[in-house]
């Protein structure tokens, strides 16, 4: 057993001695390498090994948690005593307890989340960042500056231990390559765009030149943007950029904490239509090498592939154990350590139209390629107003780029109005992935 | 409570050895940042304290500058072997060998921008539980339709030591507290939320003035207004921004673009514009870390530069950027004390502190009376900016129509979008009622979060895009 596992067990024992009836504990740590190359030169090199320990204690149905970054200097007795002393300030609550032992996962599928090679080296990482940036800079003479090429390598280990018998070590690696070119448009205005690729295994990363090429392509199409018209128009959410936001919002609103806090537009909507019948949303924790993959959830419960929404109908409430108990609903394996809910790999089942065919189907409307900020989302009504930019479509063709546009509508109108789903699902876009989606009509504000 | 369960502080001799190690392969400069932050939180939910928490965030960051390059490493353990290894890792950025030596460390004294009577860390947690209970009771009393009350109290003490190879050595203790409340109000099958929070680098005496009851009542009032709101208009129109909170306009429309890392890289819209008009001549904008007890106040920045008030824009003309050490050296000016970081895990970047638009001469009545048809934004929320092109956005969470110079119906939440210099050029009236925002703001940049604030009086923007859903036009055929 590693030193960290010994430390974890010592802390749990200390918590019990200090008077905790139940406790759980996470020790996570790892190493990080961050490289920024700018205009061909190494700009920043960051390297570190670090970790954190989080201990949660339950005593007389009161709960407290304590965390610290200095694992080596920690006195387990003092740490545990502090946690138990803190718990006295809590209110006794019958829901403050660990999951029952029989709920814990006992089988853990192998998900191939660790790249065992030690590649790329720091020097190779610098070269990859440099190549990605150079490919963007070389793509067009109007691209004459850059915010950099970035490469990062993260590897880590998380130990999760509970006083009622769950024990799991989770390891992961993650590699990212990004570049952010800057161009000058015909009015001498500056415009920027980026492209990023992330993988669990470094060998799965695309060629750096491909990252640069896509960043340049996304940048060049946005030069010389104009305002968009104000009015009601069909709207397309681009698969690789903006469509996944709809999935995240829907998942958050459907989840246990939002329902229980009554901060959701989806209260009492189980079994009802929440999107058009083209909309089938899946959460799949067991994708090999997936960004959000996990063999058990954050609380140690088993998890599996499930359709959250099938042809527009909401199937279940994704939840953690505490909210399942409070709402008296089944557990689903979506809990986070220490509370809350998260999806694993969330995606929308693709349709049959290519993005080009979807664009061609719109007479006059907007392809949204970027959102600016998080926008104004009212959790209670599902009303959403969001600044964005994109490409204006006239007669089925991209006419010109537009910026400083807003769209507004309710989530029910947006998801209910989806009348085309693309075939372009890319699982490498992060923990939520969607193909391109067309929405019948949304309010745009521009000129 | 308050047991020291972790070691804090390094002796000066070890700091000198670490800086020397960091410059062991060359380089022009090295600095060390030691942080020990203890955060305590109380979360109130379902009528009681749901959980109490303590977090200790402790570690050391070591940076080496070699030409324009930065080497950075950090460690959480404070033993000499680990720290020497971090210094060695940071040193790899330099390849020229030799280089500068480490000057003898000399402690400096600092101004005190956070004078406190009753430090939160010295007061028993029970008295803060009482704040949360008072919020619940006041919210329940304010409206029988209140169905949920969430409240929280957070306090931290962040002790930092900044030392560099030029011999500077500063230690500062930065307090922060925050009391927040969120309510859900249900009536006739409709449901809306309201929230309020305040605090700053303040002790508990602050909450004698800004009481738990006032935060609860404000939250309920906001939710009540939202229940009555009609669709917000869509399109371009005059917008009047209320005082205080709406200073987020400054933060997004000009503040980020004046952070000089973007200037030295020539990726900000404001590059090469010193001495030029970038806002209407009614606008004088400062970044001020010296406002006592403000959320954005600091006594020293996170790379050891003494802080000061910086005039960014004077009567519409760009006068200064906000610098850290690197940008100041590259652009040949003095650092402005804006080098900040979210923790020892990150190297410093130019960041805002408390960004303010100084008062003008218009009365509130004049400003509102000047608008025939437009929007009055009373409470605004978070925003974002694309620094390169200058486009920015922020949320309006409580707004009203203005019709014939009068504030009329409340409208639903929406977002505003515009371009920084363009919108600042359309500031056609500035009020005399300068107000600092409640202490709720955290700025995120490249993944680093730092506490900031801003302030401004009533401001009239003659035209900006409002992202409502009411156009009065019919849907186009596809």
């Amino acid at each position: 057993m590693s030193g960290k596992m010994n430390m974890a067990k010592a802390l749990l024992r200390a918590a019990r001695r200090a008077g905790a009836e139940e406790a759980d504990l996470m020790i996570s740590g790892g190493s990080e390498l961050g490289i920024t190359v700018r205009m061909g030169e190494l700009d920043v090199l960051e390297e570190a090994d670090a970790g954190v320990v989080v201990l949660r204690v339950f005593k007389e149905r009161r709960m407290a948690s304590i965390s610290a970054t200095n694992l080596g200097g920690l006195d387990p007795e003092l740490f545990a005593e502090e946690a138990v002393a803190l718990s006295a300030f809590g209110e006794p609550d019958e829901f403050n307890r660990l999951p029952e032992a029989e709920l814990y996962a006992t089988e853990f599928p192998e998900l191939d989340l660790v790249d065992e090679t030690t590649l790329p080296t720091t020097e190779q990482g610098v070269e990859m960042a440099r190549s990605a940036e150079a490919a963007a800079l070389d793509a067009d003479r109007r691209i004459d500056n850059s915010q950099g090429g970035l490469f990062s390598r993260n590897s880590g280990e998380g130990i999760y231990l509970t006083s009622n018998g769950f024990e799991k070590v989770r390891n992961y690696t993650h590699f990212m390559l990004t570049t952010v070119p800057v161009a000058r448009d015909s009015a001498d205005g500056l415009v920027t765009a980026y492209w990023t690729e992330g993988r669990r295994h470094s060998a799965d990363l695309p060629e750096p030149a491909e990252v640069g090429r896509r960043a340049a392509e996304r940048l060049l199409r946005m030069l010389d943007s104009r305002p968009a018209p104000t009015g009601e128009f069909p709207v397309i959410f681009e698969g690789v950029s903006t469509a996944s936001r709809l999935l995240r919002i829907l998942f958050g609103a459907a989840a246990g904490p939002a329902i229980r806090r009554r901060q959701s537009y989806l209260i009492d909507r189980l079994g009802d239509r929440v999107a058009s019948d083209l909309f089938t949303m899946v959460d799949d924790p067991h994708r090999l090498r997936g960004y959000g993959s996990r063999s058990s959830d954050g609380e140690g419960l088993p998890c599996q592939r499930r359709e959250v929404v099938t042809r527009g109908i909401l199937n279940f409430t994704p939840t953690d154990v505490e909210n399942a108990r409070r709402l008296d609903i089944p557990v689903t394996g979506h809990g986070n350590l220490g509370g809350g809910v998260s999806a694993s790999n969330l995606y929308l089942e693709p349709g049959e139209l290519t993005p080009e065919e979807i664009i061609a189907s719109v007479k006059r409307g907007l392809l949204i390629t970027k959102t600016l900020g998080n926008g104004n989302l009212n959790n209670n009504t599902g009303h959403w107003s969001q600044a964005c930019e994109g490409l204006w479509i006239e007669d089925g063709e991209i006419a010109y780029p537009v910026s400083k546009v807003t769209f507004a509508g309710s989530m029910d109108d947006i998801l209910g109005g989806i009348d085309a789903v693309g075939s372009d699902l890319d699982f490498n876009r992060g923990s939520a992935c969607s193909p391109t989606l067309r929405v019948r009509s949304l309010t745009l504000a521009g000129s | 409570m308050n047991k020291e369960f972790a070691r804090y502080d390094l002796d000066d001799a070890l700091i000198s050895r670490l800086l020397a190690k960091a410059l062991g392969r060359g380089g022009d400069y090295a600095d060390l940042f030691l942080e020990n932050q203890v955060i305590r939180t109380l979360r109130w939910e379902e009528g009681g304290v749901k959980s109490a928490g303590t977090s200790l965030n402790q570690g050391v960051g070591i940076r080496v500058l070699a030409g324009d390059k930065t080497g950075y490493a950090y460690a959480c353990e404070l033993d000499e072997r680990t720290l020497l290894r971090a210094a060695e890792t940071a040193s790899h950025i330099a390849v020229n060998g030799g280089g500068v030596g480490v000057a003898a460390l000399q402690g400096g004294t600092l101004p005190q921008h956070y004078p406190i009577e009753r430090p939160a860390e010295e007061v028993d947690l029970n008295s803060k539980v009482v704040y949360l209970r008072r919020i619940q009771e006041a919210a329940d009393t304010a409206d029988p339709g209140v169905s949920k009350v969430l409240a929280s109290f957070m306090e931290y003490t962040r002790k930092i030591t900044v030392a560099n190879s030029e011999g500077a050595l500063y230690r500062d203790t930065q307090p922060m507290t925050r009391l927040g409340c969120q309510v859900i109000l249900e009536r006739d099958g409709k449901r809306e939320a309201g929230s309020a929070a305040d605090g700053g680098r303040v002790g508990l005496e602050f909450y004698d003035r800004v009481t738990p009851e006032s935060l609860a009542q404000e939250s309920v009032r906001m939710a009540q207004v939202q229940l009555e709101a009609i669709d917000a208009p869509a399109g371009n129109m005059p917008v009047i921004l209320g005082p205080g909170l709406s200073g987020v306009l400054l933060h997004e429309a000009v503040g980020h673009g004046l952070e000089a890392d973007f200037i030295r890289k020539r990726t900000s819209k404001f590059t090469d514009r010193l001495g030029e008009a970038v806002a209407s001549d009614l606008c004088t904008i400062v970044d001020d870390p010296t406002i006592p007890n403000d959320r954005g106040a600091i006594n020293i920045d996170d790379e050891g530069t003494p802080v000061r008030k910086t005039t960014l824009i004077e009567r519409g003309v760009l006068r200064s950027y906000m610098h850290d050490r690197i940008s100041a050296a590259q652009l040949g000016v003095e650092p402005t004390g804006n080098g900040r970081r979210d923790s020892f895990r990150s190297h410093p970047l130019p960041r805002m502190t408390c960004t303010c638009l100084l008062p003008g001469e218009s009365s509130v009545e004049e400003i509102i009376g000047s608008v025939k048809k437009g929007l009055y934004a009373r409470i605004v929320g978070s925003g974002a900016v694309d620094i390169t092109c200058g486009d920015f956005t922020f949320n309006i969470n409580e707004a009203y129509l203005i019709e014939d110079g009068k504030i009329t119906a409340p409208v639903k939440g929406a977002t505003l979008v515009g371009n920084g210099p363009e919108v600042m050029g359309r500031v056609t009236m500035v009020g005399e009622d300068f107000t600092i925002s409640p202490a709720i703001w955290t700025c995120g940049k490249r993944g680093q979060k730092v506490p900031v604030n801003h302030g401004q009086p009533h401001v009239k923007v003659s035209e900006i895009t409002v992202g409502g859903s009411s156009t009065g036009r019919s849907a186009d055929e596809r």
Side-chain angles (χ1 to χ4, degrees), chain A residues 96 230 260-262 385 419, chain B residues 45 50 186 467 473 478:
Chain A
N96 281 338
T230 297
R260 197 252 308 164
R261 289 181 178 141
R262 300 190 70 74
S385 168
D419 57 3
Chain B
E45 201 170 348
K50 166 72 190 159
E186 307 198 32
R473 302 182 205 176
R478 187 161 57 236

Side-chain angles (χ1 to χ4, degrees), chain A residues 32 43 45 47 65 67 69 72 82 91 96 145 230 260-264 375-376 378 385 406 419 446, chain B residues 40 45-46 49-50 52 54 56 58 70 72 77 182 186 191-192 236 265 395 414-415 467 473 478:
Chain A
E32 306 166 18
D43 185 34
L45 179 62
E47 261 187 286
S65 71
S67 74
T69 54
E82 170 86 6
E91 195 78 20
N96 281 338
N145 196 357
T230 297
R260 197 252 308 164
R261 289 181 178 141
R262 300 190 70 74
Q263 292 180 353
S264 169
N376 198 337
N378 184 324
S385 168
T406 62
D419 57 3
Chain B
R40 291 187 202 283
E45 201 170 348
E46 307 289 349
V49 172
K50 166 72 190 159
T54 297
L56 170 70
Q58 177 175 274
T70 299
Y72 196 75
E77 311 295 344
Q182 186 179 38
E186 307 198 32
R191 204 171 345 96
E192 286 288 357
N236 294 347
K265 295 174 183 170
N395 294 340
T415 187
R473 302 182 205 176
R478 187 161 57 236

Side-chain angles (χ1 to χ4, degrees), chain B residues 372-427:
Chain B
K372 189 158 166 35
K373 197 159 181 277
L375 202 69
Y376 179 83
R378 175 168 172 167
I379 293 181
V380 309
S382 63
V385 60
D386 177 329
I387 286 140
T388 305
C389 72
D391 290 352
F392 72 94
T393 178
F394 62 86
N395 294 340
I396 47 178
N397 295 333
E398 184 178 321
Y400 300 80
L401 298 177
I402 304 176
E403 296 167 294
D404 295 324
K406 293 197 171 54
I407 291 175
T408 60
V411 299
K412 288 179 185 162
T415 187
L416 301 181
V417 67
N419 186 269
E422 273 172 39
V423 170
M424 294 311 292
R426 293 191 200 126
V427 171

Side-chain angles (χ1 to χ4, degrees), chain A residues 1-13 27 159:
Chain A
M1 266 297 88
S2 70
K4 278 184 190 168
M5 182 59 94
N6 289 333
M7 172 90 181
K9 294 194 163 165
L11 277 165
L12 266 193
R13 282 194 301 271
I27 296 183
I159 294 172

Side-chain angles (χ1 to χ4, degrees), chain B residues 108-440:
Chain B
T109 55
L110 296 175
Q112 179 50 271
H113 297 139
Y114 2 98
I116 280 177
E117 285 170 36
R118 279 188 283 151
E121 63 175 350
E122 290 173 16
V123 178
D124 189 278
L125 269 183
N126 276 321
S127 52
K128 299 146 195 173
V129 175
V130 170
Y131 291 158
L132 303 179
R133 179 162 291 120
R134 283 167 60 188
I135 283 177
Q136 174 86 48
E137 287 168 4
D140 287 341
T141 308
D143 193 314
V146 169
S147 62
K148 293 278 175 184
V149 177
L150 292 178
S152 64
F153 184 81
M154 183 283 305
E155 66 186 58
Y156 74 64
T157 304
R158 182 194 196 223
K159 296 177 188 163
I160 62 168
T161 301
V162 200
N164 67 35
S165 56
E166 293 167 358
L169 174 67
Y170 292 101
R171 290 188 168 87
D172 191 24
T173 298
Q174 302 172 338
M176 187 75 80
T177 67
R178 184 183 196 273
L179 180 62
C181 162
Q182 186 179 38
V183 304
I184 301 289
L185 182 62
E186 307 198 32
R187 190 188 295 156
D188 305 329
K190 283 167 74 182
R191 204 171 345 96
E192 286 288 357
S195 63
D198 209 343
R201 300 201 186 277
V202 295
L204 298 188
E205 66 275 10
F206 179 82
Y207 302 99
D208 297 339
R209 187 165 60 78
V210 177
T211 60
E213 287 77 14
S214 67
L215 295 172
Q217 286 155 4
E218 172 65 1
S219 303
V220 173
R221 189 199 61 75
M222 281 175 68
Q224 287 168 337
V225 170
Q226 282 310 303
L227 282 176
E228 307 299 325
I230 59 172
D231 281 349
N236 294 347
M237 63 197 75
V239 172
I240 293 173
L241 299 168
L245 283 164
S246 62
V248 70
L249 168 75
L250 314 172
H251 185 94
E252 307 296 358
V254 287
H256 276 299
L258 299 182
E259 292 168 342
D261 46 344
F262 305 111
I263 303 299
R264 75 179 173 91
K265 295 174 183 170
R266 308 185 65 78
T267 57
S268 162
K269 181 155 181 112
F270 293 93
T271 308
D272 290 336
R273 298 202 61 186
L274 283 179
E276 293 179 23
V278 296
S280 92
D281 60 9
L282 298 174
C283 297
T284 294
I285 300 171
V286 302
D287 187 72
D288 190 356
T290 71
I291 299 168
N293 302 109
D294 186 74
R295 181 168 165 88
I298 44 178
N299 292 332
I300 185 85
D301 80 357
D302 292 332
E303 49 181 2
T305 304
V307 298
R308 63 173 200 220
K309 178 159 97 176
T310 303
T311 299
L312 305 171
I313 294 172
E314 187 180 11
R315 297 182 167 280
V317 176
L318 181 57
R319 293 295 181 209
S320 176
Y321 301 114
M322 284 169 277
H323 290 281
D324 65 1
R325 237 189 130 82
I326 297 178
S327 69
Q330 264 190 38
L331 297 171
V333 297
E334 287 296 307
T336 54
N338 289 90
R340 304 184 65 192
R341 45 182 142 199
D342 76 344
S343 80
F344 64 91
R345 293 180 185 81
S346 311
H347 60 89
L349 298 171
R351 304 298 294 265
M352 285 170 261
T353 60
C354 182
T355 314
C356 299
L357 175 67
L358 301 189
E361 290 171 357
S362 301
S363 72
V364 178
E365 296 71 31
E366 265 179 276
I367 297 175
I368 295 168
S370 74
V371 174
K372 189 158 166 35
K373 197 159 181 277
L375 202 69
Y376 179 83
R378 175 168 172 167
I379 293 181
V380 309
S382 63
V385 60
D386 177 329
I387 286 140
T388 305
C389 72
D391 290 352
F392 72 94
T393 178
F394 62 86
N395 294 340
I396 47 178
N397 295 333
E398 184 178 321
Y400 300 80
L401 298 177
I402 304 176
E403 296 167 294
D404 295 324
K406 293 197 171 54
I407 291 175
T408 60
V411 299
K412 288 179 185 162
T415 187
L416 301 181
V417 67
N419 186 269
E422 273 172 39
V423 170
M424 294 311 292
R426 293 191 200 126
V427 171
T428 51
M429 295 177 100
V430 175
E432 53 198 4
D433 57 336
F434 177 82
T435 309
I436 292 273
S437 170
I440 61 168

